[in-house]
Amino acid sequence: MDIVYDMNAQKWCFENGYRIYPIVNEGGYKLVIEYKGQKRTGQLVYSRDEWVDGVWKLYSQIYAKQKA
């Protein structure tokens, strides 16, 4: 997975109430997006090596959507 580790996107997300983190799921990890106390769990299951890139991709997507 080609991913850009965009620290500005992550910083913006943190400052605006977003947190993304993995939870252990059968067969791998799912990502949780928490926004101002509300949590949503994604449907994709990531491997131990993939979830970190998934987190960064989501931060970048949220940032791009909100800044558009």
Side-chain angles (χ1 to χ4, degrees):
M1 188 183 294
D2 291 331
I3 197 74
V4 174
Y5 299 101
D6 186 348
M7 299 296 244
N8 289 324
Q10 184 189 45
K11 179 182 176 190
W12 184 91
C13 286
F14 283 174
E15 289 173 348
N16 287 278
Y18 289 93
R19 299 288 184 271
I20 302 170
Y21 52 88
I23 56 171
V24 176
N25 187 63
E26 187 175 318
Y29 299 86
K30 286 189 173 185
L31 298 180
V32 176
I33 300 174
E34 185 174 339
Y35 177 64
K36 297 185 179 179
Q38 296 182 356
K39 298 177 185 178
R40 297 189 81 181
T41 302
Q43 297 301 310
L44 293 177
V45 178
Y46 295 88
S47 73
R48 182 175 44 160
D49 297 328
E50 295 173 328
W51 73 261
V52 173
D53 287 344
V55 168
W56 283 100
K57 183 176 179 182
L58 286 171
Y59 279 132
S60 293
Q61 288 175 344
I62 291 167
Y63 180 69
K65 184 176 179 181
Q66 298 300 322
K67 296 304 251 180

